[in-house]
């Protein structure tokens, strides 16, 4: 029921493996490290951009604000209280992975390594791995309470059933390029179009950094990839979810996850003991900030507290755990199909958009900024 994340089990297996039977350079020998991992990151972030739905985001503006508030809470509390208690560098490295997922963890891991902070590079991965243990149970608890509240109103006739906005798959309003005929929409062509968009994003980033910011690291190319993914899908240059349609999403995720866990090959037991304190400190302090800010903004926007908090908790796991957690919470409180449909229509869009806002958008931006501050 998504209480024990597979990523945690995988991390433990890699960690114990590197301490025992795994070669330290296992991932590199398998050619799953750089530069292939870098290409995979470009593709996955551009792919995430193609999933984003601008119109749905606009209609769920309260969800977006609550999600951003949660991230702001993490950053503000960690960079004040956390920096005072744990140290500024620890707070800098720990904050971005706590606001999102894989991309933020990779960016901060690489930035910490470049700065010669080997121990903190391990911390970036461990924060990403461990944060789900806080997020999953808290989200499950809140969603069940919110679901029961909604059901009481629904059963008592206090609300009219609302239906989530219809998917606008293939209905992009500003599309200027026609759909590719199905017979030409092969695996290779889907990947080519996606890679082309990622290439344009990379070239644009280098141009802006060189001619506007005069700093090669001012703007992260992954942030640009995300934006270009959204724009390219709106224009019809690429399709929605191209990696999934090409049957390559799982493979690309394998490459990225392998690259991330390769960072554990230097995580000795002594180093792990050094990181345990900062790890718990970063997560505890950051989550308190998230809850505080999400609660306040939820109250201001008149959103139920038990819905506002799960929206913000998305920063701790994102998609697909948020989808699974919502499904399981609904399944646990009702067996009636019509009631399940009602709860999904109300709760699912908020959870999915909350996840995309925090993990897919905000965390990449935060990591891009923070990585340049080390």
């Amino acid at each position: 029921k998504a209480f024990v994340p597979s990523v945690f089990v995988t991390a433990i297996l890699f960690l114990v493996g590197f301490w025992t039977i795994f070669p330290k350079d296992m991932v590199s020998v398998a050619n799953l490290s750089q530069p292939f991992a870098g290409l995979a990151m470009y593709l996955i972030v551009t792919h995430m951009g193609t999933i984003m739905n601008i119109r749905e985001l606009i209609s769920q503006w309260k969800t977006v604000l609550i999600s951003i508030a949660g991230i702001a809470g993490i950053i503000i509390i960690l960079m004040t209280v956390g920096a005072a208690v744990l140290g500024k560098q620890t707070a800098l490295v720990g904050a971005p992975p706590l606001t999102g997922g894989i991309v933020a963890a990779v960016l901060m891991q690489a930035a910490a390594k470049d700065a010669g902070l080997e121990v903190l590079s391990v911390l970036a991965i461990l924060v990403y791995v461990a944060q789900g243990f806080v997020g999953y149970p808290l989200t499950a608890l809140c969603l069940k309470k919110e679901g029961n509240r909604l059901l009481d109103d629904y059963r008592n006739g206090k609300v009219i059933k609302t239906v989530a906005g219809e998917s606008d798959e293939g209905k992009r309003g500003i599309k200027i390029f026609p759909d590719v005929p199905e017979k030409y929409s092969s695996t290779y062509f889907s990947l080519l179009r996606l890679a082309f968009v990622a290439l344009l994003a990379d070239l644009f980033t280098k141009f802006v950094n060189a001619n506007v910011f005069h700093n090669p690291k001012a703007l992260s190319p992954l942030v640009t990839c995300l934006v270009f993914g959204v724009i390219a899908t709106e224009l019809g240059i690429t399709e929605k979810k191209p990696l999934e349609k090409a049957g390559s999403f799982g493979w690309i995720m394998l490459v990225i996850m392998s690259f991330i866990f390769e960072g554990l090959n230097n995580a000795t037991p002594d180093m792990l003991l050094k990181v345990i304190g900062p790890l718990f400190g970063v997560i505890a302090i950051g989550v308190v900030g998230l809850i505080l800010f999400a609660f306040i903004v939820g109250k201001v926007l008149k959103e139920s507290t038990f819905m506002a908090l799960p929206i913000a908790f998305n920063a701790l796991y994102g998609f697909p755990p948020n989808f699974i957690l919502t499904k399981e919470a609904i399944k646990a409180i009702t067996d009636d199909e019509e009631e399940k449909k009602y709860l999904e229509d109300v709760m699912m869009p908020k959870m999915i958009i909350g996840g995309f806002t925090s993990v897919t958008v905000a965390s990449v931006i935060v990591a891009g900024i923070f990585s340049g501050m080390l």
Side-chain angles (χ1 to χ4, degrees):
K1 297 182 182 291
F3 277 94
V4 180
S6 60
V7 68
F8 178 82
V9 179
T10 308
I12 295 299
L13 290 174
F14 265 92
L15 196 60
V16 175
F18 283 132
W19 289 348
T20 54
I21 62 173
F22 289 176
K24 297 287 187 182
D25 59 350
M26 180 175 69
V27 176
S28 298
V29 168
N31 291 318
L32 298 180
S33 190
Q34 294 288 18
F36 189 28
L39 172 62
M41 290 297 297
Y42 275 54
L43 294 180
I44 197 74
V45 176
T46 308
H47 168 91
M48 288 299 179
T50 71
I51 299 173
M52 299 292 289
N53 186 319
I54 294 177
R55 282 174 288 281
E56 186 68 38
L57 278 175
I58 293 173
S59 68
Q60 293 283 355
W61 62 273
K62 288 185 180 180
T63 299
V64 174
L65 289 180
I66 292 170
S67 182
I68 292 173
I71 289 175
I74 291 174
I75 295 171
I76 292 171
I77 300 299
L78 263 181
M79 295 312 299
T80 53
V81 177
V85 175
L86 305 170
K88 183 179 179 181
Q89 288 183 328
T90 300
L92 276 173
V93 172
L98 195 62
T99 66
I102 295 174
V103 177
V106 170
L107 281 174
M108 295 316 298
Q109 177 196 16
K113 277 190 175 181
D114 290 344
L117 305 171
E118 194 68 35
V119 173
L120 291 184
S121 72
V122 174
L123 175 67
I125 302 171
L126 291 179
V127 168
Y128 164 69
V129 170
Q131 61 188 334
F133 271 118
V134 176
Y136 294 139
L138 288 176
T139 299
L141 176 65
C142 289
L143 286 178
K144 287 176 184 177
K145 287 186 175 293
E146 176 66 7
N148 282 319
R149 184 191 70 82
L150 290 170
L151 272 187
D152 286 342
D153 289 346
Y154 182 71
R155 289 167 177 171
N156 294 328
K158 294 181 180 179
V159 295
I160 299 174
K161 183 176 179 181
T162 59
V163 179
E166 294 181 359
S167 170
D168 61 352
E169 177 84 31
K171 298 179 181 178
R172 298 286 169 169
I174 56 174
K175 180 183 288 188
I176 61 175
F177 295 96
D179 290 331
V180 175
E182 192 63 32
K183 63 180 179 178
Y184 298 124
S185 188
S186 64
T187 295
Y188 309 110
F189 195 51
S190 293
L191 291 175
L192 172 64
R193 294 161 70 190
L194 180 66
F196 176 67
V197 175
L199 172 64
L200 291 179
D202 183 63
L203 294 174
F204 177 82
T205 304
K206 289 174 179 175
F207 175 81
V208 170
N209 284 342
N211 296 280
V212 178
F213 297 114
H214 305 292
N215 180 353
K217 294 185 178 181
L219 176 65
S220 169
L222 294 179
V223 175
T224 315
C225 281
L226 185 71
V227 175
F228 271 50
V230 175
I231 297 172
T233 313
E234 289 284 350
L235 297 176
I237 298 174
T238 188
E239 61 209 320
K240 294 188 72 173
K241 304 179 182 179
L243 285 178
E244 292 179 23
K245 291 186 177 180
S248 304
F249 186 83
W251 167 242
I252 294 297
M253 285 298 294
L254 169 67
V255 174
I256 294 171
M257 297 303 290
S258 298
F259 174 63
I260 288 175
F261 290 127
E262 183 186 26
L264 294 173
N265 62 359
N266 293 320
T268 62
D270 289 340
M271 184 182 293
L272 200 60
L273 287 174
K274 292 179 183 177
V275 173
I276 287 295
L279 173 64
F280 282 110
V282 165
I283 294 177
I285 295 171
V287 170
V288 167
L290 178 151
I291 292 174
L292 180 62
F293 276 60
F295 174 80
I296 294 172
V297 173
K299 285 294 185 183
V300 172
L301 297 178
K302 297 181 180 180
E303 178 66 83
S304 162
T305 297
F306 291 119
M307 190 71 247
L309 292 183
I311 288 171
F313 286 145
N314 269 285
L316 305 177
Y317 43 79
F319 182 85
N322 54 4
F323 177 84
I324 298 170
L325 286 165
T326 308
K327 280 276 191 181
E328 291 295 341
I330 292 171
K331 184 180 178 181
I333 60 179
T334 181
D335 292 323
D336 183 272
E337 292 302 320
E338 187 174 329
E339 290 179 346
K340 286 182 180 179
K341 180 67 168 59
Y342 168 67
L343 292 178
E344 282 192 21
D345 288 345
V346 176
M347 296 165 67
M348 191 66 80
K350 295 179 181 181
M351 289 299 290
I352 297 300
I353 290 174
F356 281 142
T357 302
S358 57
V359 176
T360 310
V361 181
S363 69
V364 177
I365 297 173
V366 170
I369 296 171
F370 276 44
S371 61
M373 295 169 64
L374 275 179

